[in-house]
Amino acid sequence: MKVLVINAGSSSLKYQLMVPDTREVLAKGLCERIGIDGHLKHQPTDKDVFDADIDLPNHEAAIKEVLNLLTHNHYGVIADVSEIDAVGHRVVHGGEDFTQSVVIDEKVIKGIEDCIPLAPLHNPANITGIRACQDVMPNTPMVGVFDTAFHQTIPPKGYMYALPYRYYTENKVRRYGFHGTSHDYVSKRAAELCGRPIEELRLVSCHLGNGASTCAIQYGKSIDTSMGLTPTDGLPMGTRSGAIDPSITEYISRVRGYSPERVAGVLNKESGMLGLSGVSSDFRDLEKAAEEGNERAELAMDIFCYKVTKRIGSGAAAMGGIDGVIFTAGVGENAPTIREKIMEGLEFMGLYIDKEKNKTRDEAIVSTDDSPGIIFVIPTNEELMIALDTERLLKD
Ligand code: ADP
């Protein structure tokens, strides 16, 4: 089966055409500046790359161009669009209605629409991507894979906020969590790597990218995660504050005269590593600045690592023990010094990092041979997970 994986943003669209069975990627690419002017980078495996400004007035036009390139006589990887058996769509918010991936029909689209208040930037773009594919490939089955679905196993004591209960029943205020497809993928992969059934493992997965979250995965199921109603909760991130005293928002708006929207903008776009360091949201820049003696860059990374360390501890407490820690995403996969710093002091929980093995950027076990707990580095692959779910649902 050939599956086209689509991740549609408000002005961008990432895609990958793959064979989930064999894990083979036939082509991948990115449309950017949709509705503004347009740019498309198409990377077919073992073929020339197409990388050019191209008119992309809307998402339908972008999908049409992608299909043109996939079937192109020079840049193409398939002879005809009919070779695409299914489309798998990444959808950010599935609320409480979607506890797993689903075959998309009108009822599902309505359900995704109902979650727009919870993800006003992301869900409309996801729906636009689905509608564009429906227009261009009306007979191809489609599946929706939700960032929130994996966390629907979190029990009420993990997802309820201590607010008036009616905010939950009337306004859907609760912890949902995100990065679920990534946490799901890396935990399954960790079990394969260490050759133990996932039903026996208590893992804390650390997805550390521009956005960052941890997830306590007990016997294959998410039981707690650091992101909340929105992705602003939990760890400090590139530009997001993470968890703070909630009264800071009211205080800042009073002493600075900011509107609620302005405060939200500060928490999401001006805080985190960028706000603390004043240098950058990117860990590569922070590491460089710290090496050159920039104390605020060093402080920003210290704070980040400290918060991740504490989250690993809280995950272990939630699960009554810990068998492994997983590092994934941009920082988790590529920054050995950050991993080392996070694991410093966790030896008391039986987690010993091997500094030599930890120099890797590839999939590996980086704990010492006699460490009771296993430390994994696992490059995430959300596209593969989406393709596998799409295949699984359409085969039945
Ligand atoms: P996103 O959340 O946008 O998907 P990624 O998972 O791609 O983000 O992570 C991007 C981040 O990964 C960058 O902002 C950067 O901080 C970090 N990163 C990437 N490569 C390195 C590296 N070699 N060393 C340290 N950090 C890195």
Side-chain angles (χ1 to χ4, degrees):
M1 180 182 259
K2 292 190 181 98
V3 178
L4 180 63
V5 176
I6 298 282
N7 181 355
S10 54
S11 67
S12 71
L13 187 145
K14 276 194 223 158
Y15 63 93
Q16 228 178 77
L17 182 64
M18 62 195 306
V19 184
D21 246 2
T22 59
R23 315 287 201 249
E24 187 189 358
V25 176
L26 303 174
K28 60 182 174 182
L30 171 64
C31 304
E32 287 177 293
R33 301 178 61 81
I34 300 172
I36 305 164
D37 40 25
H39 187 91
L40 204 170
K41 184 169 183 184
H42 170 77
Q43 298 171 271
T45 305
D46 300 328
K47 284 189 154 186
D48 290 341
V49 171
F50 175 92
D51 189 357
D53 289 338
I54 181 167
D55 200 22
L56 299 174
N58 52 43
H59 284 72
E60 288 82 47
I63 298 271
K64 275 187 189 147
E65 288 300 342
V66 169
L67 295 180
N68 276 344
L69 282 164
L70 288 171
T71 52
H72 192 270
N73 58 12
H74 186 69
Y75 299 104
V77 290
I78 50 175
D80 193 86
V81 174
S82 61
E83 284 182 48
I84 300 173
D85 299 294
V87 182
H89 290 272
R90 176 196 181 211
V91 183
V92 167
H93 218 305
E96 288 190 331
D97 291 341
F98 298 105
T99 57
Q100 52 191 320
S101 305
V102 287
V103 177
I104 294 174
D105 57 18
E106 282 305 312
K107 200 163 149 255
V108 168
I109 295 178
K110 169 79 175 57
I112 301 171
E113 273 168 4
D114 289 344
C115 294
I116 288 177
L118 295 168
L121 298 179
H122 292 101
N123 274 30
N126 299 152
I127 293 169
T128 306
I130 292 169
R131 291 283 186 216
C133 286
Q134 282 181 328
D135 281 353
V136 181
M137 317 158 76
N139 299 318
T140 311
M142 307 205 189
V143 166
V145 180
F146 301 86
D147 274 13
T148 48
F150 183 61
H151 301 300
Q152 281 296 308
T153 46
I154 295 175
K157 67 181 177 187
Y159 71 67
M160 285 300 293
Y161 292 114
L163 290 167
Y165 197 81
R166 63 181 183 281
Y167 294 177
Y168 169 60
T169 50
E170 294 170 16
N171 306 105
K172 302 182 178 179
V173 175
R174 53 158 286 177
R175 179 183 306 284
Y176 292 97
F178 300 88
H179 295 142
T181 312
S182 175
H183 291 302
D184 189 9
Y185 172 77
V186 297
S187 58
K188 290 197 168 93
R189 194 68 203 120
E192 281 169 14
L193 259 188
C194 70
R196 287 169 63 183
I198 196 152
E199 293 77 17
E200 280 177 12
L201 293 170
R202 293 161 301 179
L203 302 165
V204 174
S205 158
C206 307
H207 178 110
L208 312 178
N210 241 327
S213 71
T214 58
C215 181
I217 303 164
Q218 188 176 36
Y219 314 135
K221 293 198 164 84
S222 169
I223 65 145
D224 209 350
T225 191
S226 59
M227 282 180 168
L229 173 77
T230 73
T232 320
D233 199 2
L235 299 169
M237 313 178 207
T239 61
R240 293 188 195 126
S241 63
I244 55 168
D245 175 346
S247 296
I248 291 173
T249 54
E250 185 274 331
Y251 176 75
I252 289 293
S253 81
R254 187 158 38 86
V255 295
R256 292 200 167 241
Y258 288 179
S259 67
E261 292 75 21
R262 176 91 196 268
V263 176
V266 171
L267 297 187
N268 282 294
K269 299 201 175 94
E270 299 173 31
S271 298
M273 300 298 101
L274 176 67
L276 277 167
S277 69
V279 173
S280 169
S281 62
D282 192 303
F283 278 75
R284 287 164 288 202
D285 300 334
L286 294 178
E287 286 186 329
K288 190 158 169 283
E291 269 166 33
E292 289 162 2
N294 186 313
E295 287 176 11
R296 273 172 54 189
E298 181 146 9
L299 174 67
M301 288 191 293
D302 275 353
I303 292 172
F304 178 79
C305 293
Y306 177 58
K307 303 271 187 188
V308 181
T309 306
K310 291 208 299 182
R311 285 281 168 185
I312 294 172
S314 87
M319 297 186 290
I322 187 162
D323 302 298
V325 171
I326 308 166
F327 288 101
T328 192
V331 183
E333 292 165 26
N334 295 301
T337 47
I338 301 279
R339 291 197 295 258
E340 201 179 309
K341 215 175 166 82
I342 290 168
M343 297 312 297
E344 245 168 45
L346 288 178
E347 294 83 4
F348 80 95
M349 291 199 307
L351 293 159
Y352 293 84
I353 197 160
D354 183 315
K355 291 184 183 171
E356 274 310 304
K357 288 187 194 163
N358 184 43
K359 286 179 180 155
T360 186
R361 279 163 201 258
D362 299 322
E363 189 175 85
I365 288 176
V366 299
S367 40
T368 59
D369 291 342
D370 54 1
S371 174
I374 310 171
I375 306 166
F376 302 88
V377 174
I378 302 183
T380 195
N381 195 339
E382 287 154 291
E383 291 79 11
L384 174 60
M385 199 73 208
I386 294 170
L388 286 169
D389 262 15
T390 303
E391 181 183 59
R392 180 174 55 79
L393 281 173
L394 295 174
K395 260 189 177 169
D396 294 344

